[in-house]
Amino acid sequence: MIPITVVDVRDAEDLVVEVLRSGAIAQGPMVKRFEEAFAAVSGTKHAVAVNNGTTALVASLQVLDLQPGDEVITSPFTFVATLNAILEAGATVRFADIRRDDFAVDPDAVAAAIGPRTKVLMPVHLYGQTADMGKLAPLAAERGLHLVEDSAQAVGATFEGRRSGSFGLGCFSLYATKNITTAEGGVITTDDDVLADRLRVLRNQGMRARYQYEVAGHNYRMTDLHAAVGIPQLEKLDSITAARQRNAKRLTEGLSGTPGLELPQVLPGREHVWHQYTVLVGPHAFLSRDELAAALTERGIGNGIYYPKVVFDYDCYRGHELIPDADLASVPMANSVAAQALSLPVHPKLSEDDVDKIIETVREVLGA
């Protein structure tokens, strides 16, 4: 089986052993070192490490002092953490439909969704490419909205030379399958000194110093063990990204012209870091998306459906008071893409033979 992803953190062994031998494994100097490295990678003044990507989203909203009834506009085509974080922060969720070319919120749909209670715009940089920040960032500024980027899948991605997470509050996941991992972990990036300070206090039970409580806080801390896992990967981010880009380029070249298959695009002005290589299996393809996924699995090609439904289309969210306008009819593009999206392996551990096998197998089962 060629897996959809491979986790290899063996380069972290020396740093992990160093932490273990130190006897201090909670948040400490290794976390600070990780934060400094991440800030350098993201091109921001501050990087605040937390215990996971969902926490990064929740904490970012919490320091914006949202009030009951305040609204956050986001994408309906995303991992559930995006929605759960907004609900945990007590905000009302509004969804704007997506574009098919970048899988991210359509700036025109966002503009139409802004109302008098809108306070935050939360674009999701899906699969490793940013949303259209050339339109979304000015829109947020013009309307006086906070910008919180769900950059969980886009570490190192750029829009016109600016890294994801540098347009507002950037929220990254360091989960095991991400391009950079600490097993579990997250990071918030910002150039705002005040917000960075508030985030650091908030993550530490509201303490600035031991037993000096300033706010009602939380335990959002990352451990030095987790930071030690991530530091060597940050040092190799450029090579990790380059390997993913090479594999994506070969997949695109090999799969081009496959009947019924719509390949992912790298849009002008953007650098794609290929967290996932996601194709769309159209209605005229020889197999449906689900049939293609099953056929590939049977032939030893790992794959993933990210995501099978729009995020609110589950019983647990129906009728939720903080999701008042969730309606499939209002997000037709997201609903269509969710029925067609299929991700193929693109990770750095693929060999040339692996990529060739993926291409040959996809083309074979689709009758190319």
Side-chain angles (χ1 to χ4, degrees):
M1 174 68 73
I2 298 174
I4 185 66
T5 190
V6 171
V7 180
D8 184 355
V9 293
R10 288 172 292 180
D11 287 351
E13 289 177 359
D14 290 345
L15 285 182
V16 170
V17 170
E18 180 182 329
V19 172
L20 291 173
R21 286 175 174 168
S22 75
I25 61 175
Q27 181 179 297
M30 201 67 74
V31 169
K32 185 175 187 296
R33 178 175 163 184
F34 178 82
E35 289 176 331
E36 291 171 349
F38 203 98
V41 161
S42 64
T44 57
K45 290 176 65 177
H46 304 281
V48 181
V50 291
N51 54 1
N52 58 62
T54 308
T55 294
L57 292 167
V58 173
S60 293
L61 293 173
Q62 288 174 329
V63 296
L64 297 179
D65 296 325
L66 301 181
Q67 302 300 310
D70 287 347
E71 298 174 356
V72 178
I73 297 175
T74 195
S75 171
F77 188 56
T78 182
F79 183 54
V80 72
T82 309
L83 174 55
N84 286 342
I86 299 170
L87 297 178
E88 186 172 341
T92 298
V93 188
R94 302 285 180 187
F95 292 104
D97 206 2
I98 66 170
R99 291 181 1 191
R100 192 177 181 90
D101 58 358
D102 63 6
F103 303 109
V105 284
D106 184 333
D108 292 336
V110 171
I114 295 173
R117 295 305 302 272
T118 305
K119 294 295 187 294
V120 179
L121 170 56
M122 185 184 285
V124 180
H125 305 320
L126 205 63
Y127 301 143
Q129 183 167 224
T130 72
D132 188 350
M133 300 310 292
K135 293 181 179 179
L136 293 170
L139 177 62
E142 290 164 8
R143 301 296 185 91
L145 305 179
H146 297 289
L147 188 57
V148 177
E149 302 170 66
D150 185 337
S151 298
Q153 300 181 6
V155 60
T158 65
F159 184 91
E160 295 181 352
R162 287 184 63 176
R163 290 288 175 100
S164 68
S166 68
F167 292 85
L169 283 167
C171 301
F172 295 84
S173 170
L174 304 170
Y175 181 65
T177 59
K178 297 299 189 289
N179 293 24
I180 297 294
T181 182
T182 58
E184 284 281 10
V187 181
I188 306 160
T189 54
T190 181
D191 287 325
D192 190 309
D193 296 339
V194 173
L195 289 180
D197 180 68
R198 294 189 66 186
L199 286 164
R200 291 188 175 105
V201 171
L202 181 69
R203 74 172 172 186
N204 192 34
Q205 297 289 14
M207 293 186 290
R208 183 172 300 283
R210 191 167 180 80
Y211 304 130
Q212 180 186 333
Y213 301 105
E214 298 192 0
V215 297
H218 305 273
N219 179 1
Y220 290 160
R221 296 183 296 264
M222 177 186 280
T223 72
D224 268 18
L225 281 173
H226 287 90
V229 172
I231 289 170
Q233 293 170 71
L234 281 176
E235 295 170 349
K236 299 190 302 179
L237 177 60
D238 288 346
S239 63
I240 290 171
T241 299
R244 288 178 175 273
Q245 290 171 337
R246 284 195 302 272
N247 291 338
K249 185 173 184 290
R250 291 193 61 221
L251 287 168
T252 296
E253 290 170 349
L255 294 173
S256 179
T258 304
L261 205 63
E262 187 174 333
L263 304 183
Q265 303 178 47
V266 181
L267 298 179
R270 308 188 209 186
E271 182 180 9
H272 203 314
V273 297
W274 299 104
H275 173 62
Q276 299 291 350
Y277 185 93
T278 301
V279 301
L280 296 176
V281 186
H284 302 298
F286 182 70
L287 299 176
S288 71
R289 188 271 308 278
D290 291 353
E291 289 170 339
L292 175 58
L296 292 177
T297 300
E298 183 180 347
R299 289 162 174 78
I301 306 297
N303 58 87
I305 297 174
Y306 313 113
Y307 301 94
K309 296 183 179 183
V310 298
V311 72
F312 59 79
D313 190 22
Y314 295 89
D315 287 344
C316 59
Y317 297 115
R318 302 190 204 286
H320 197 296
E321 61 180 3
L322 295 180
I323 319 175
D325 296 330
D327 179 12
L328 291 176
S330 67
V331 291
M333 184 59 72
N335 199 38
S336 172
V337 167
Q340 298 178 9
L342 182 69
S343 295
L344 303 175
V346 74
H347 56 81
K349 297 299 180 180
L350 294 173
S351 67
E352 290 191 6
D353 287 345
D354 289 337
V355 177
D356 288 341
K357 183 178 178 182
I358 294 166
I359 293 167
E360 292 165 5
T361 307
V362 171
R363 291 183 64 83
E364 175 191 342
V365 298
L366 287 180

